[in-house]
Amino acid sequence: MEMPNLDALTTFFGVLSFVIGAMVGSFLNVCVHRLPQGLSVVRPRSRCPKCENPIAWHDNIPILSWLILGAKCRNCGTPISWQYPLVESLTAALFFLVYWKFGMTLASPVYMLLAASLVLVTFVDLTDWTIPNEVTFPGVPLGIGCAVMAMVYPESGLLLARPLWSIVGVLIGGGLLYGLDLLSLAILKKRGMGFGDVKLMAMLGAFFGPWGVLLILVIASFFGSAVGLTLILIGRAKDGAEDAGAALSEEGDEEDDVMTPGGHYLPFGPYIVLGGIIYLFFGPEIIERYMSYITVPGAI
Ligand SMILES: [Zn+2]
């Protein structure tokens, strides 16, 4: 069988997407550290946090430098977190997958930007317990703008081509999470979600529409409760062991099970992001399949 000529080009752009993704991931690492502190993400150049030695360009090559340097600063030997290569390889893989799925369309750069934003949101939420407004505020109009673009230009490859559905997605996405927050406040007398989660879901609603956010919420809740329950069970087991050791101790009993040592709730943002990524690659197919079940009841 003869291979079409296009394959060399496809491979080239696939590799290029991966490399660009790794470079963007390297920049995201800077953002993860500096955005929550309100620092500039452009200046100054990256330094070792310990010895403050500026990092040379050849020691700042995504993924590779971390491996070559053996996860240590060249100057002072301070360990460098595995979070750096993780963010870089995740972003690289997502860029590659976006190109693989959407090819040479307008959708590819748009969804690469979205994927990069979601990686940033995940790691800021995991480390700082916030979701940066720097992502969600521009994300909403950008998502609506994309729906307009997709309507005008049908070959864009974008998943949502109806501006009205994009706006409805913002309202339903934000509204659903805001509702959950109020419900949690009423029943548990505690805030369930941060307002950052509300804005993140509104942003995904702008990109994926109302069906999109509904599916994302289902996926996020599924993985969120699976992980949450596991942690609660582990916590119970640990509490049990502690109780056996110090039966008379009354301290610490008021701590909530799903609270982390820092007294925060487990962040929900990363699960919303996971839902968003799954939707990006499989969402329309899942919804189409689901719709075919509910619109033809009893067809068998
Ligand atoms: Zn150093």
Side-chain angles (χ1 to χ4, degrees), residues 47-53 73-78:
R47 286 162 187 278
C48 166
K50 185 80 186 246
C51 67
E52 305 209 324
N53 220 45
C73 167
R74 185 189 286 280
N75 192 47
C76 69
T78 297

Side-chain angles (χ1 to χ4, degrees), residues 34-39 117 120 131-139 203:
R34 295 188 188 173
L35 275 185
Q37 300 177 53
L39 300 172
S117 312
L120 177 59
I131 289 177
N133 286 334
E134 287 88 343
V135 170
T136 50
F137 281 173
M203 169 178 133

Side-chain angles (χ1 to χ4, degrees), residues 21-33 41-42 62 87-88 120:
M23 285 158 68
V24 170
S26 185
F27 174 66
L28 293 181
N29 274 319
V30 176
C31 298
V32 167
H33 284 272
V41 294
V42 196
V87 168
E88 287 156 0
L120 177 59

